[in-house]
Amino acid sequence: MKLLFATHNKHKLEEAREILGKLDIEIEHFEIEYDEPRGEDTSEIAEKSARDLFSRIKKPLFLDDSGIFVNALNGFPGPYSAWVFRKMGYQGILKLLDGNENRKAYFKSSIAYASEKGTFVFDGIMKGSIPKEARGDNGFGYDPIVVPEGMDRTFAEMSDEEKNSISHRKIALHKFADFLSS
Ligand code: ITT
């Protein structure tokens, strides 16, 4: 099975290839400009974006909208994670949390698949925390400040394989794969 994945983020593409590849699902990269609608949550943004893209290209496709939701910041940056990352990087989040002992956060990936049968969303949520300092140089985006619950290393200190066996994206993609096989 071959699926079209619409993204500009090559790291998401690599991760999805590795995760779905293990389930014998092949991905074709598809780069297209589209306006991301505003929304309160990644699920809503992913759903609207996938539906809109499918109505334009008329081919089944999926995309991934992700975010980091920090408890002490009332869920910020959440659906604005990409914008915040471009403006101030993960250091901006560390600064906002400076002196705050509540380091809890969760990481969410919303996969939306659109086809002639409709639009379907699969959410993956991974609980974790934000360390006081960034650590590690593997991975991308917020990985140096993402510590999964029950662990003490950041995603950026793990191998790709280890991250992909526990991440929010893995959880969402596995739900998607179950849907495809049912
Ligand atoms: P698209 O083209 O797929 O939209 P994007 O990078 O703009 O790519 P998002 O809109 O979903 O992606 O923005 C999510 C932000 O969170 C962005 O800054 C990513 O770098 C970051 N991010 C997403 N998944 C991540 C992960 O697994 N680990 C660390 N950072 C991640």
Side-chain angles (χ1 to χ4, degrees), residues 21-41:
K22 287 204 163 97
L23 305 171
D24 280 334
I25 299 173
E26 225 183 299
I27 290 176
E28 198 172 317
H29 185 203
F30 174 57
E31 236 177 318
I32 183 170
E33 289 309 321
Y34 63 92
D35 288 331
E36 250 183 33
R38 279 177 195 231
E40 276 292 301
D41 196 30

Side-chain angles (χ1 to χ4, degrees), residues 55-162:
S55 73
R56 280 169 58 196
I57 68 157
K58 314 264 189 283
K59 282 185 198 161
L61 62 100
F62 76 99
L63 47 78
D64 167 321
D65 199 67
S66 332
I68 173 169
F69 296 72
V70 180
N71 291 19
L73 305 176
N74 295 321
F76 184 80
Y80 306 106
S81 295
W83 184 80
V84 167
F85 193 82
R86 281 196 298 275
K87 295 283 173 198
M88 55 189 197
Y90 56 72
Q91 296 88 345
I93 302 295
L94 291 179
K95 241 183 231 154
L96 288 173
L97 282 179
D98 197 21
N100 201 322
E101 287 307 310
N102 180 4
R103 314 298 298 190
K104 284 192 178 159
Y106 69 89
F107 310 90
K108 183 168 173 186
S109 163
S110 296
I111 300 287
Y113 172 66
S115 72
E116 46 292 307
K117 293 194 178 124
T119 309
F120 307 87
V121 183
F122 309 92
D123 287 330
I125 291 179
M126 191 203 74
K127 284 188 191 169
S129 61
I130 312 287
K132 299 211 163 139
E133 282 170 6
R135 297 195 308 264
D137 52 17
N138 197 22
F140 72 101
Y142 293 97
D143 279 347
I145 61 160
V146 176
V147 177
E149 194 171 50
M151 303 186 85
D152 53 13
R153 282 168 303 136
T154 66
F155 269 160
E157 292 178 297
M158 296 178 191
S159 65
D160 297 344
E161 200 175 1
E162 190 174 6

